Amino acid sequence: MHDSEKLFGALGLENGQAFLDLGCGPGDYALRAARLVGAQGRVLAVDRSAELVRHVSTRAAAEGLTHLETLAADITGELPLRTGSFDLCLLCTVLHSLGHEKRGRVLREAHRLLAPAGRLAVVEIKKEPMDFGPPLEQRLSEDELERLAADTGFRRILSTGLGPTHLGIFAAQ
């Protein structure tokens, strides 16, 4: 759907960092992050689907990525995780599927889970007509995403296109 090389280049993950993938789906980004942060790092892949989480665990085990953990949980609620424990949180094509109130809850929880210098990365499908993706009225434009992030304690530090999607990277205010 988008250029993952450009995405991970913008994320700038480093060895030893802690990465949180909220709404991880099949886990492609969590697995890639685990390779980048190395065994000194930590990756947590969270999804509401226990089946998907088991799939991610199986894939991680097959690659020997013992520092990749999984959690089956509803990301719109408070997660059983320590405050300030992640350097980077990724929400990739997740927010558009949630109502406005739930979007705010997810971003406030991400804010709680990020370390003081942590960053939030959000990828959403561009708000323009395309032959795929969610209905146009569900999509978030770059400006809408920036306002939502600002309302939940973040400021945008980067915005870039990734083909049919856009990436916003935010820091806590």
Side-chain angles (χ1 to χ4, degrees), residues 9-137:
L11 296 180
L13 280 173
E14 296 178 3
N15 190 47
Q17 288 187 310
F19 177 85
L20 175 63
D21 187 352
L22 291 178
C24 68
D28 295 337
Y29 301 124
L31 290 161
R32 183 160 184 179
R35 291 183 213 106
L36 291 170
V37 301
Q40 291 72 39
R42 175 181 179 219
V43 172
L44 178 62
V46 182
D47 200 280
R48 67 179 174 195
S49 168
E51 182 180 337
L52 283 174
V53 166
R54 280 191 300 276
H55 175 71
V56 175
S57 292
T58 300
R59 290 177 69 192
E63 289 191 39
L65 299 171
T66 57
H67 57 289
L68 190 157
E69 302 167 33
T70 59
L71 174 65
D74 179 357
I75 66 168
T76 65
E78 186 171 335
L79 298 171
L81 302 169
R82 188 171 43 91
T83 297
S85 53
F86 294 93
D87 299 301
L88 179 65
C89 174
L90 175 66
L91 285 157
C92 190
T93 60
V94 171
L95 289 180
H96 71 267
S97 65
L98 306 172
H100 185 75
E101 182 181 316
K102 288 183 178 181
R103 291 173 182 166
R105 285 199 306 246
V106 169
L107 293 184
R108 282 188 293 281
E109 183 65 358
H111 193 284
R112 181 185 74 80
L113 295 172
L114 286 170
R119 296 171 297 138
L120 170 69
V122 181
V123 176
E124 281 296 327
I125 297 173
K126 290 179 179 175
K127 194 165 188 168
E128 54 191 52
M130 290 182 226
D131 292 336
F132 69 95
L136 195 59
E137 63 273 5

Side-chain angles (χ1 to χ4, degrees), residues 107-168:
L107 293 184
R108 282 188 293 281
E109 183 65 358
H111 193 284
R112 181 185 74 80
L113 295 172
L114 286 170
R119 296 171 297 138
L120 170 69
V122 181
V123 176
E124 281 296 327
I125 297 173
K126 290 179 179 175
K127 194 165 188 168
E128 54 191 52
M130 290 182 226
D131 292 336
F132 69 95
L136 195 59
E137 63 273 5
Q138 286 182 342
R139 299 178 192 193
L140 293 165
S141 70
E142 291 178 60
D143 290 340
E144 289 168 325
L145 180 57
E146 184 173 10
R147 282 192 299 276
L148 178 61
D151 289 347
T152 54
F154 291 99
R155 64 177 171 76
R156 183 170 65 186
I157 56 176
L158 174 79
S159 184
T160 189
L162 300 173
T165 61
H166 59 90
L167 165 67

